[in-house]
């Protein structure tokens, strides 16, 4: 099998059975990084042959999630491409033709056994499996005469087409992460490839036929598909395509943050983090599941976080742009064991990306948050919002956190933290604050750098307690004793607003006993 000089073509092949799980997003990302690194193509194929499990809205969700994360698709249902259609339910003719190829070359056969008959066999034979040891005693085209088979087909009987697995073979799956994985063909059953009832192939047939026809060079997918790989190897062989069969990469599972086992939606609910890229409204149950986007994550941070779940760049670099990820990505540094879903790290990445963001861009993200809290963003200059954001951003993990940290730049306090009042607002404090108002009104330069030494000098020359006066000042302007540097706050909100807030506080706050 020669893959050198072969154009890199990878595919992400989700089934639209619900929202894309974060593990699926990582699979899509690794496909994307590998494709871009090699100047190859990234295909998005919708595997919707299981009509029972189809969920309306899931396909749109997949497209929207990948677009949000910047995982670009070169060929797909929306993008088009030379090997379409890219949705399996639109490829029935192709599958029918390929099922016939296997029937004609003797690698597959027709079976008429009803579900009830198979159930009876299972009850009769322990560990029953449809294979070389049992097929002779079942109702299929290998055990019946051609006339019997034809008569059943003519009568319109439902049937399936099964793959004929030859026992006694060593099947080798070459996996770029795991090396050669060998299994005995005896353990495989004669898998159903096609069902006449809905005139649709099963996953196995459709997946192999499409990978071949779409000229896929590397199948990069989750570890849960490793047990299907031997069957896929045998299918390529049965079609005579072994020479161009793709390379396999089965990525390790994402594990629960706090222990062993596969990461599930329940872990997210239990520990309070999303396991889906976007919010999802389940059309059946009406239930809503949280998404990274709606929880305030930046797509770049999610991408960076996911890239490192099962891969490292060979050193301990953590923060990497998509371009850096593309150039550094390598299967040689992918781990074979499961990756713990270290959720706190996702927050850390988000924090880090927010710090690196331009204040103006961050201000744009903050505007909807302001509006949601009843503040008209248009009442404030863009520069003002950007400065406010710049002063508090070191304290935030999410854009939404900006509200708690910067609200006082947009609305004057109406309440004052009672603990701080008790500690700092003594009976003399109103008079002291009115003296401060005097100073603030008279001073010529209200800028942070000039005002700070002036206020300090006033406190010192009067022998006031620095901590008490500064905290009372802050309490009056902010409403509580937290926030960025006091004189940066007053610089931004300006003289009039500062004075007004102190006067209001003097009127409203009832001094502590
Ligand atoms: N349709 C399968 C899924 O839902 C694709 C598995 C594969 O990549 O082969 O993940």
């Amino acid at each position: 099998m020669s893959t050198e000089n072969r154009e890199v073509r990878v595919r992400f092949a989700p089934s639209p059975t619900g929202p894309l799980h974060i593990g699926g997003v990582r699979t899509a990302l690794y496909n994307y990084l590998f494709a871009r690194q090699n100047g190859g193509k990234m295909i998005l194929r919708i595997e919707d042959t299981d009509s029972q499990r189809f969920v309306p809205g899931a396909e749109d969700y997949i497209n929207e999630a990948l677009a949000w994360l910047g995982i670009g698709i070169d060929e797909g249902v929306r993008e088009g491409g030379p090997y379409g259609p890219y949705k399996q339910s639109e490829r029935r003719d192709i599958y029918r033709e390929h099922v016939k190829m296997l029937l004609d070359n003797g690698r597959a056969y027709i079976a008429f056994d009803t579900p009830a008959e198979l159930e009876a066999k299972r009850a009769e034979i322990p560990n029953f499996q449809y294979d070389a040891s049992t097929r002779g005693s079942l109702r299929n085209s290998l055990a019946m005469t051609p006339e019997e088979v034809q008569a059943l087909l003519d009568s319109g009987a439902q049937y399936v087409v099964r793959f004929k697995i030859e026992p006694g073979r060593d099947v080798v799956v070459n996996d770029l992460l795991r090396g050669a994985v060998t299994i005995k063909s005896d353990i495989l059953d004669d898998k159903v490839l096609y069902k006449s009832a809905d005139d649709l192939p099963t996953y196995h047939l459709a997946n192999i036929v499409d990978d071949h026809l779409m000229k896929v060079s590397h199948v990069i997918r989750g570890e849960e598909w490793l047990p299907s790989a031997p069957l896929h190897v045998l299918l390529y062989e049965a079609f005579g395509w072994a020479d161009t069969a793709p390379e396999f990469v089965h990525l390790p599972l994402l594990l629960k943050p706090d222990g062993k086992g596969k990461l599930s939606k329940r872990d997210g609910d239990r520990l309070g983090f999303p396991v889906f890229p976007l919010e999802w409204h389940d059309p059946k149950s009406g239930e809503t599941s949280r998404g990274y986007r709606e929880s305030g994550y930046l797509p770049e941070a999610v991408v960076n976080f996911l890239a490192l779940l099962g891969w490292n760049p060979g050193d301990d670099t953590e923060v990497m742009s998509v371009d850096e990820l593309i150039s550094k990505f390598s299967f040689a540094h992918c781990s074979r064991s499961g990756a713990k879903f270290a959720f706190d790290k996702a927050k850390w990445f988000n924090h880090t990306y927010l710090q690196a963001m331009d204040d103006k861009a961050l201000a744009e993200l903050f505007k909807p948050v302001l509006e949601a809290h009843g503040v008209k963003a248009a009442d404030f200059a863009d520069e003002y919002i950007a400065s406010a954001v710049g002063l508090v951003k070191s304290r935030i993990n999410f854009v939404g956190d900006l509200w708690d940290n910067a609200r006082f730049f947009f609305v004057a306090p109406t309440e004052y933290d009672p603990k701080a009042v008790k500690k700092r607002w003594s009976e003399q404090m109103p008079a002291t604050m009115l003296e401060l108002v005097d100073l603030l009104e008279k001073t010529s330069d209200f800028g942070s750098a000039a005002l700070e030494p002036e206020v300090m000098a006033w406190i010192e020359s009067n022998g006031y307690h620095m901590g008490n006066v500064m905290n009372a000042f802050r309490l009056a302007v902010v409403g509580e004793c937290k926030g960025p540097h006091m004189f940066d706050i007053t610089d931004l909100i300006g003289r009039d607003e500062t004075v007004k807030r102190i006067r209001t506080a003097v009127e409203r706050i009832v001094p502590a006993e």
Side-chain angles (χ1 to χ4, degrees), residues 11 13-15 45 47 203 207 211 219-221 225 232:
R11 86 303 193 268
S15 300
R45 184 170 72 224
E47 300 208 325
Y203 154 73
N207 190 268
D211 283 348
V219 165
I220 305 165
R221 61 184 171 191
W225 302 99
H232 295 181

Side-chain angles (χ1 to χ4, degrees), residues 186-207:
D186 305 59
I187 65 163
L188 302 174
D189 65 333
D190 291 354
K191 276 269 173 324
V192 172
L193 301 179
Y194 169 86
K195 293 175 274 130
S196 72
D198 53 10
D199 184 28
L200 275 171
T202 57
Y203 154 73
H204 302 291
L205 183 96
N207 190 268

Side-chain angles (χ1 to χ4, degrees), residues 257 271-274 290 292 297 305 340-348 398:
L271 300 166
F273 59 83
R290 306 164 53 174
Y292 277 84
Y297 283 86
F305 164 65
K340 257 193 197 165
F341 196 77
F343 178 66
D344 282 341
K345 204 75 203 194
K347 276 193 200 167
W348 177 82
F398 302 102

Side-chain angles (χ1 to χ4, degrees), residues 1 3 6 216-217 236 241-247:
M1 178 181 349
T3 50
R6 187 173 179 184
V216 169
S217 64
Y236 285 115
W241 301 333
D243 283 353
T244 55
E247 300 277 2

Side-chain angles (χ1 to χ4, degrees), residues 419-437:
K419 269 202 199 125
V421 169
K422 194 160 182 221
K423 191 159 175 208
R424 309 290 186 183
W425 206 266
S426 60
E427 225 167 318
Q428 312 81 276
M429 197 47 83
T432 311
M433 285 295 114
L434 291 175
E435 270 178 49
L436 175 61
V437 164

Side-chain angles (χ1 to χ4, degrees), residues 135-242:
R135 63 172 89 103
S137 65
L138 289 149
R139 295 207 308 130
N140 56 60
S141 59
L142 298 176
M144 300 162 117
T145 65
E147 293 72 28
E148 284 172 314
V149 172
Q150 199 53 51
L152 278 169
L153 291 177
D154 292 344
S155 74
Q158 298 292 7
Y159 64 92
V160 299
V161 173
R162 286 182 181 270
F163 190 41
K164 189 178 167 203
I165 302 268
E166 304 292 354
R169 292 247 343 247
D170 281 340
V171 188
V172 184
V173 177
N174 283 305
D175 182 290
L176 290 181
L177 286 189
R178 292 153 214 271
V181 180
T182 306
I183 69 122
K184 298 247 172 267
S185 63
D186 305 59
I187 65 163
L188 302 174
D189 65 333
D190 291 354
K191 276 269 173 324
V192 172
L193 301 179
Y194 169 86
K195 293 175 274 130
S196 72
D198 53 10
D199 184 28
L200 275 171
T202 57
Y203 154 73
H204 302 291
L205 183 96
N207 190 268
I208 265 46
V209 167
D210 288 348
D211 283 348
H212 174 71
L213 295 178
M214 295 177 183
K215 297 195 164 38
V216 169
S217 64
H218 295 77
V219 165
I220 305 165
R221 61 184 171 191
E223 185 177 73
E224 62 274 29
W225 302 99
L226 186 58
S228 303
L231 173 67
H232 295 181
V233 168
L234 291 175
L235 274 169
Y236 285 115
E237 189 189 286
F239 276 115
W241 301 333

